[in-house]
Amino acid sequence: MEGKEALAAGLPGLLALVPLMKGTDLAMIEASVRQIEEKAPAGQRADLLAILYTFAEGQYDIQQIQRIIGRERLMQSTLYQEAFAEGRVEGRVGGHLEDRRELCAAALRKWHPGLPAGTFQAIADCNDEELLKELILNAPGWSADEIRRWLLRG
């Protein structure tokens, strides 16, 4: 899917993934942020912006992304609050492997609170950023069984 198609669809969850889509530029990132702020339920905005940030920061200048999204909004995200509360994320919030693991674990805790502890150990042991990205992108719509199958292949 191309970034312009996601913008036209205007679905907040899809807009958070625009940095991963073909044909995306900084203007599309800005438009995605505006649409997320306008269309997403209040309780999901900060988390969607944090997801967008995580995927954008590896492809664009970090200062530009922070200017567009705003550091304050990122810190309001339950995904990042939880990761920081656990004391595992140090330094710059972004796309490093450890940060992806933290975001993945926080997302699963939010979307699937009943998962067994072994799930989170498997994420902590995962060294494949692409697999972690796949889990972050799909976890909201996956069942616990689908998550277990993903972990077995990872």
Side-chain angles (χ1 to χ4, degrees):
M1 174 176 265
E2 292 200 16
K4 64 183 177 184
E5 294 173 282
L7 285 167
L11 301 171
L14 190 58
L15 292 167
L17 307 179
V18 164
L20 301 174
M21 297 178 186
K22 295 178 184 175
T24 299
D25 58 21
L26 211 49
M28 289 181 177
I29 300 294
E30 288 183 87
S32 295
V33 169
R34 282 192 303 275
Q35 284 195 41
I36 288 170
E37 289 175 337
E38 293 168 4
K39 297 178 179 181
Q44 294 178 6
R45 285 182 199 136
D47 288 338
L48 290 170
L49 291 172
I51 291 167
L52 184 142
Y53 174 90
T54 299
F55 294 132
E57 73 89 27
Q59 300 176 41
Y60 299 95
D61 178 71
I62 192 71
Q63 277 104 11
Q64 290 178 312
I65 300 303
Q66 286 178 347
R67 178 188 54 77
I68 292 168
I69 297 175
R71 190 168 183 84
E72 308 79 40
R73 284 187 258 174
L74 292 174
M75 295 304 123
Q76 293 171 4
S77 163
T78 58
L79 300 174
Y80 282 109
Q81 286 175 8
E82 187 169 324
F84 281 115
E86 290 181 13
R88 293 186 188 156
V89 177
E90 298 176 8
R92 179 172 71 86
V93 175
H96 299 290
L97 181 59
E98 184 62 27
D99 294 333
R100 293 265 170 113
R101 288 179 183 139
E102 290 297 330
L103 180 59
C104 192
L108 284 179
R109 279 189 204 93
K110 179 179 176 81
W111 293 316
H112 299 281
L115 290 173
T119 303
F120 302 100
Q121 186 58 50
I123 291 167
D125 294 341
C126 182
N127 292 317
D128 187 330
E129 286 192 48
E130 290 302 312
L131 283 176
L132 292 169
K133 184 190 308 183
E134 180 183 347
L135 182 57
I136 292 167
L137 294 174
N138 292 300
W142 280 356
S143 68
D145 287 337
E146 289 170 313
I147 291 168
R148 277 192 277 284
R149 282 195 297 274
W150 175 89
L151 289 170
L152 289 174
R153 78 169 241 239

